[in-house]
Amino acid sequence: MPPKFKRHLNDDEVTGSVKFGRRNLLEEDSDEEEDFFLRGPSGPRFGPRNDKIRHVQNQVDEVIDVMQENITKVIERGERLDDLQDKSESLSDNATAFSNRAKQLRRQMWWRGCKV
């Protein structure tokens, strides 16, 4: 775009900008619902509503603790399963080696029997 057409606009000049719209909403008289969504909660910190929130937060914290314990147990179980798999593979290898050695020994004994 050529420089003569470039112009930097401020938020005050652009009526559709987000900052302009929010500023207008905050400056005008508005009801409590709009204030809540624009500024956040401003009510008292304690009361029946906050007790419910605190209760739900405690339940969420308990669930988080239980899930963390479950994840730890799953990881430990996975480690034990890996160890068990390694041991079973080792046992299988040893069983195969024993079987092969037993066949060799049987053949040796058969040849000894034939020679005698």
Side-chain angles (χ1 to χ4, degrees), residues 5-77:
F5 293 112
K6 285 187 178 178
R7 180 174 173 220
H8 298 288
L9 300 175
N10 296 331
D11 285 334
D12 297 334
E13 296 172 335
V14 180
T15 57
S17 73
V18 175
K19 288 182 182 178
F20 179 78
R22 187 170 183 195
R23 189 175 329 118
N24 282 344
L25 286 174
L26 288 173
E27 289 173 358
E28 295 175 2
D29 290 333
S30 61
D31 60 354
E32 290 181 18
E33 277 187 31
E34 289 177 355
D35 288 345
F36 175 78
F37 289 112
L38 294 173
R39 292 193 177 113
S42 60
R45 292 275 185 205
F46 303 104
R49 184 172 174 93
N50 286 330
D51 288 341
K52 289 180 184 178
I53 292 173
R54 192 174 306 120
H55 178 68
V56 170
Q57 184 63 42
N58 288 338
Q59 287 179 336
V60 169
D61 291 341
E62 288 176 14
V63 169
I64 288 172
D65 291 340
V66 169
M67 290 306 297
Q68 286 176 344
E69 289 176 17
N70 289 343
I71 290 171
T72 303
K73 288 178 182 178
V74 166
I75 291 171
E76 290 172 358
R77 180 176 177 254

